[in-house]
Amino acid sequence: MYDVIIIGGGAAGFYAAIHIAEFDSSLKVAILERGKEVLAKVRVSGGGRCNVTHAEFDPGELVKNYPRGEKELLGPFHSYCSGDTVAFFEKRGVSLKIEDDGRMFPTTNSSKTIIDCFLNEAKRLGIRVLKHSAVTNIKLLEDEIAENTWEITSIKHTYKAKKVVIASGSNPKVWKLLENLGHTIEPPIPSLFTFNIKDERINGIPGVSTPAKVDILAKRMFTPKITIKLRSQKAQESLLSEEGPVLITHWGLSGPGILRLSAWGAKLLNDFKYRFKVRVNWLPDFHHESVVPYLMNIKDVEAKKTVLRTKAVAIPRRLWTNLVRSAGLDETTKWADITKIQLQELANQLTACEFQVNGKSTFKEEFVTAGGVDLKEINFKTMQSKILPNLYFAGEVVNVDAITGGFNFQNAWTGGYIAARGITQKCTTD
């Protein structure tokens, strides 16, 4: 008999286990991991560097990075926030650094540092880590002898525990088991993903990155060819909008701006079956009306130079070249010879560049989903189920997800800590 069994050997599972064992060293704790290795997502996060958290230390601001879970996480973040995460690792000899965009990584730039920290702590605290232990059944034993004991069946053994933490991430098999126990599961849909686009304007220039504003357009708004005449104000409206670095890839568009848009638009884009249109403003500090007179001034100042060779705005040269050509200007066109219609078209390409998106791609190996246990069925003061006794949740198993930047891990750390505190406080009163 275990005091606590944790299903899932990922970030949230280890964080919960370590805190449970620290809060009460008398408790017998085990982690059941279905795979041959634990902490797999930690290993690949941040390109192998592990984006541990984000340098946003105000709970009220931190929650704004969660498309699902913003309201529910405010209380937990007031109890355990990014600063507490930093303190946890520093106490164990793991120093973190803040990068320019606010993301925080171990100073070693290696996820192995975080993994080793967790494994060493688990060993020190006597936490059993049982790999190759995919869970096949979760059962609540309610007879008088069992006293609401949980029976956990894996492919290897059957275990009993007084309390259970579900930290299995986006595992559809575990979600199904929870559904059978009476919990409501919001259907999982992809959250962080990139946009698949085939278009001559971004073809042949992978690796180009630049700040941009991206809008998701209603289908009726899209016009395959940008027209010279400005659209109405109503048509200029978008369903969703994000601003940030956009990366051109071999398959389309990626980067923080696109990933944030995919997170906030997860349900909408799923409804669109990932066939939709976007409008990109490659000059996010400007709009069409302000760019036109600026280009008119360039036309006068650089009259004798060719448009293609004279990069008039602060975007990468390869992108400028493609957009100039898409505006109908060739290598020989000089600024002096550019017509008003061509100048308007160039302004459109710079500030209202429309693309057809046909499908999505997973962002590197960091697969994140929206969906999971219904948030209304969880007590966020303890992370305990409102439906079943002695059942707790942590991490992505619940319907919480975040934009990229370390926020999904912070949800895992906070959930693991709150669950551990709820379990150990309850243990002292049982």
Side-chain angles (χ1 to χ4, degrees), residues 7 9 46 59 133 269 292 301 315 324 337 339 353 425:
I7 299 175
S133 297
L269 302 183
V292 170
V301 174
I315 62 173
V324 167
D337 301 326
T339 68
C353 204
Q425 287 179 347

Side-chain angles (χ1 to χ4, degrees), residues 15 51-66 73-91 94-98 102-105 405-415 417:
Y15 214 70
N51 185 183
V52 176
T53 187
H54 200 91
E56 177 51 76
F57 305 106
D58 179 351
E61 292 299 315
L62 183 60
V63 294
K64 294 178 181 179
N65 297 286
Y66 295 82
L73 287 175
L74 184 58
F77 282 158
H78 273 288
S79 295
Y80 199 89
C81 202
S82 309
D84 299 297
T85 299
V86 174
F88 170 87
F89 285 108
E90 288 188 343
K91 180 181 176 182
V94 178
S95 59
L96 304 180
K97 61 178 180 178
I98 304 172
R103 293 182 301 164
M104 298 191 71
F105 294 86
F407 301 106
N408 281 296
F409 271 142
Q410 186 56 50
N411 171 51
W413 313 139
T414 296
Y417 173 86

Side-chain angles (χ1 to χ4, degrees), residues 273-301:
K273 301 187 186 304
Y274 307 104
R275 301 290 186 274
F276 57 96
K277 289 85 182 179
V278 294
R279 180 176 62 228
V280 181
N281 182 349
W282 301 107
L283 305 173
D285 293 332
F286 299 88
H287 48 76
H288 184 278
E289 291 85 345
S290 62
V291 168
V292 170
Y294 172 77
L295 293 178
M296 290 289 290
N297 184 57
I298 297 294
K299 174 181 167 70
D300 293 335
V301 174

Side-chain angles (χ1 to χ4, degrees), residues 61-339:
E61 292 299 315
L62 183 60
V63 294
K64 294 178 181 179
N65 297 286
Y66 295 82
R68 283 146 292 275
E70 178 177 351
K71 179 180 71 173
E72 290 80 5
L73 287 175
L74 184 58
F77 282 158
H78 273 288
S79 295
Y80 199 89
C81 202
S82 309
D84 299 297
T85 299
V86 174
F88 170 87
F89 285 108
E90 288 188 343
K91 180 181 176 182
R92 290 156 179 82
V94 178
S95 59
L96 304 180
K97 61 178 180 178
I98 304 172
E99 301 204 337
D100 291 343
D101 58 3
R103 293 182 301 164
M104 298 191 71
F105 294 86
T107 53
T108 59
N109 278 327
S110 174
S111 59
K112 187 176 183 297
T113 304
I114 305 300
I115 293 171
D116 288 346
C117 172
F118 284 149
L119 294 178
N120 291 337
E121 285 294 280
K123 183 177 180 180
R124 178 180 71 84
L125 295 165
I127 298 164
R128 290 199 69 189
V129 179
L130 305 170
K131 302 174 187 177
H132 297 290
S133 297
V135 171
T136 58
N137 195 36
I138 305 172
K139 184 179 180 181
L140 181 62
L141 305 177
E142 298 182 274
D143 57 66
E144 291 184 9
I145 298 175
E147 295 181 345
N148 289 334
T149 296
W150 286 94
E151 183 180 86
I152 310 298
T153 304
S154 77
I155 57 175
K156 285 185 174 182
H157 299 287
T158 295
Y159 307 91
K160 289 184 179 179
K162 297 175 183 177
K163 295 174 176 62
V164 173
V165 179
I166 309 293
S168 51
S170 304
N171 185 332
K173 292 182 179 178
V174 175
W175 275 332
K176 184 62 179 176
L177 294 176
L178 291 171
E179 199 169 39
N180 292 340
L181 288 167
H183 267 288
T184 304
I185 304 299
E186 290 293 322
I189 55 175
S191 179
L192 292 181
F193 51 85
T194 62
F195 297 170
N196 293 351
I197 299 169
K198 292 194 178 207
D199 192 287
E200 62 182 11
R201 290 167 291 182
I202 58 173
N203 186 42
I205 56 171
V208 167
S209 179
T210 187
K213 179 175 178 288
V214 185
D215 296 283
I216 294 175
L217 307 179
K219 293 186 177 183
R220 59 182 175 79
M221 289 171 54
F222 181 69
T223 53
K225 180 174 174 57
I226 299 175
T227 57
I228 302 306
K229 185 178 180 181
L230 290 177
R231 294 184 291 266
S232 67
Q233 184 61 39
K234 181 178 180 181
Q236 290 293 324
E237 295 173 358
S238 65
L239 299 177
L240 278 173
S241 181
E242 275 293 339
E243 188 174 319
V246 170
L247 172 67
I248 296 171
T249 69
H250 288 287
W251 57 88
L253 296 179
S254 183
I258 297 296
L259 295 171
R260 285 200 293 268
L261 204 55
S262 76
W264 288 104
K267 188 175 186 310
L268 172 69
L269 302 183
N270 182 68
D271 291 342
F272 282 172
K273 301 187 186 304
Y274 307 104
R275 301 290 186 274
F276 57 96
K277 289 85 182 179
V278 294
R279 180 176 62 228
V280 181
N281 182 349
W282 301 107
L283 305 173
D285 293 332
F286 299 88
H287 48 76
H288 184 278
E289 291 85 345
S290 62
V291 168
V292 170
Y294 172 77
L295 293 178
M296 290 289 290
N297 184 57
I298 297 294
K299 174 181 167 70
D300 293 335
V301 174
E302 306 286 3
K304 295 182 180 180
K305 296 182 180 179
T306 61
V307 178
L308 200 68
R309 290 181 177 275
T310 310
K311 186 166 70 74
V313 292
I315 62 173
R317 178 165 293 281
R318 288 191 294 164
L319 177 60
W320 166 260
T321 298
N322 280 10
L323 296 180
V324 167
R325 286 173 174 158
S326 293
L329 306 170
D330 60 30
E331 288 82 351
T332 63
T333 306
K334 294 182 179 179
W335 279 101
D337 301 326
I338 192 171
T339 68

Side-chain angles (χ1 to χ4, degrees), residues 411-428:
N411 171 51
W413 313 139
T414 296
Y417 173 86
I418 299 291
R421 188 182 64 182
I423 287 169
T424 51
Q425 287 179 347
K426 195 169 188 299
C427 283
T428 60

